[in-house]
Amino acid sequence: MGFQQTFKALSDPTRREILQLLQNGSLAAGDIAAKFQVSGATISHHLSVLRDAGLILDEKRGKYIYYELNMSVVDEIIGWFGLLRGGKHEKE
């Protein structure tokens, strides 16, 4: 994971809100877009940035694309922040 790309993705409040929506499980792109007062194309762009940063995963089911949090990347970020706070981190 590239931290620069991840932090760039996290720098936008809309993208952070999308991540919060996904904390309860996967959602279709249309369901995500319905929560915002911006165009579907704008939400699509935000989803692409989050996906490219590895923060979300997408899966096509029928004619819909569903998005969910990529918990392995979220866990890696949390672990890195733990190091900053002086937490223990196991080296592989």
Side-chain angles (χ1 to χ4, degrees):
M1 167 184 60
F3 280 116
Q4 182 176 3
Q5 193 173 12
T6 300
F7 288 122
K8 179 182 176 187
L10 292 172
S11 70
D12 185 274
T14 300
R15 291 194 283 266
R16 291 192 306 268
E17 192 172 340
I18 291 170
L19 294 174
Q20 288 178 318
L21 288 172
L22 295 175
Q23 73 184 12
N24 296 318
S26 66
L27 288 172
D31 294 332
I32 295 168
K35 305 283 186 183
F36 297 91
Q37 297 295 317
V38 297
S39 71
T42 298
I43 294 301
S44 179
H45 170 73
H46 286 304
L47 291 168
S48 292
V49 171
L50 290 167
R51 187 187 62 236
D52 292 345
L55 291 165
I56 61 173
L57 303 170
D58 61 343
E59 178 184 359
K60 186 166 179 147
R61 298 183 208 158
K63 62 180 183 173
Y64 301 103
I65 299 174
Y66 286 80
Y67 293 88
E68 65 182 83
L69 286 176
N70 182 354
M71 291 310 296
S72 63
V73 171
V74 172
D75 290 341
E76 188 174 343
I77 294 166
I78 291 168
W80 185 78
F81 277 119
L83 286 174
L84 291 178
R85 295 188 76 210
K88 295 180 181 177
H89 181 73
E90 294 181 26
K91 292 185 178 181
E92 296 180 18

